[in-house]
Amino acid sequence: QKEVEQNSGPLSVPEGAIASLNCTYSDRGSQSFFWYRQYSGKSPELIMFIYSNGDKEDGRFTAQLNKASQYVSLLIRDSQPSDSATYLCAVSGGGNKLTFGTGTQLKVEL
Amino acid sequence: EAQVTQNPRYLITVTGKKLTVTCSQNMNHEYMSWYRQDPGLGLRQIYYSMNVEVTDKGDVPEGYKVSRKEKRNFPLILESPSPNQTSLYFCASSISTGAGQTQYFGPGTRLLVL
């Protein structure tokens, strides 16, 4: 079982819709959760991080964390074509290691 | 401008020819790390460093070496590259080594080993 799992996609949504990206993790001791966005050929850039159960909102992005169920999700409201990218979920157990999922490709269609 | 830089950005080499990929950050970050990214496998950590002269193995350290003689620099060394080390490499840094570290990535180095 992979430590951090994501559906590879592609996930296609129409412009203006809500995109929902999901990630599950296996280590119950995980403490910190990150979402990175990566455009093709570019480096990952941090979108959001979340530590506590519940929702965290930043502009059009909302991260949701449920530690009991061991999943973290990212919602993108009013999706734009510029949101088309691969979204990487990353999980930290509190030490020095950050474990990444393989990413979900998002396509926002006009 | 706060940034992580890597050089070279693209490199084609032959099996067995030693190479070094440099990484430098200007944010006075303590923690630095190297990743490789391969299709279907995601980002995998090679080595990391928590401070000067402190380094440790990540998930895929075989065939790689690192050093941390200065806080700002963290070079990745391939003593005898092989074709299975063909990959996209990223250096990253963060301000601390504790939980919740936010890592900032360099632009990447695309390596092809023939």
Side-chain angles (χ1 to χ4, degrees), chain A residues 61-77:
Chain A
F61 299 96
T62 298
Q64 299 175 318
L65 174 61
N66 184 323
K67 288 188 176 182
S69 300
Q70 294 177 247
Y71 81 80
V72 56
S73 61
L74 179 69
L75 301 178
I76 306 174
R77 290 182 299 281

Side-chain angles (χ1 to χ4, degrees), chain B residues 15-31:
Chain B
T15 299
K17 186 176 182 181
K18 181 180 178 180
L19 65 92
T20 299
V21 184
T22 64
C23 172
S24 183
Q25 50 91 6
N26 62 0
M27 297 171 279
N28 200 36
H29 284 172
E30 291 183 347
Y31 183 94

Side-chain angles (χ1 to χ4, degrees), chain A residues 23-82:
Chain A
C23 170
T24 59
Y25 59 94
S26 60
D27 183 359
R28 283 196 171 274
S30 299
Q31 299 180 20
S32 307
F33 307 86
F34 304 83
W35 283 101
Y36 284 83
R37 176 176 62 200
Q38 186 175 26
Y39 292 111
S40 181
K42 302 296 184 181
S43 57
E45 54 180 332
L46 181 71
I47 298 176
M48 292 191 70
F49 58 87
I50 185 167
Y51 306 143
S52 305
N53 273 332
D55 295 359
K56 179 181 179 182
E57 187 174 319
D58 184 359
R60 296 188 295 113
F61 299 96
T62 298
Q64 299 175 318
L65 174 61
N66 184 323
K67 288 188 176 182
S69 300
Q70 294 177 247
Y71 81 80
V72 56
S73 61
L74 179 69
L75 301 178
I76 306 174
R77 290 182 299 281
D78 188 22
S79 296
Q80 302 297 309
S82 60

Side-chain angles (χ1 to χ4, degrees), chain B residues 37-113:
Chain B
Q37 187 173 35
D38 303 289
L41 296 177
L43 277 162
R44 294 179 293 166
Q45 190 177 50
I46 303 171
Y47 269 95
Y48 64 90
S49 170
M50 292 181 286
N51 215 322
V52 175
E53 303 291 2
V54 181
T55 63
D56 208 347
K57 297 177 180 178
D59 294 320
V60 288
E62 294 78 20
Y64 304 94
K65 287 177 59 178
V66 293
S67 68
R68 187 91 181 271
K69 293 183 171 58
E70 303 169 281
K71 197 171 186 178
R72 63 181 292 131
N73 296 323
F74 189 44
L76 179 69
I77 303 157
L78 284 71
E79 294 270 1
S80 183
S82 62
N84 64 13
Q85 293 178 298
T86 292
S87 187
L88 177 59
Y89 292 86
F90 289 104
C91 179
S93 73
S94 65
I95 195 168
S96 70
T97 58
Q101 55 191 334
T102 299
Q103 296 201 24
Y104 298 90
F105 285 82
T109 295
R110 194 169 291 277
L111 172 65
L112 173 61
V113 182

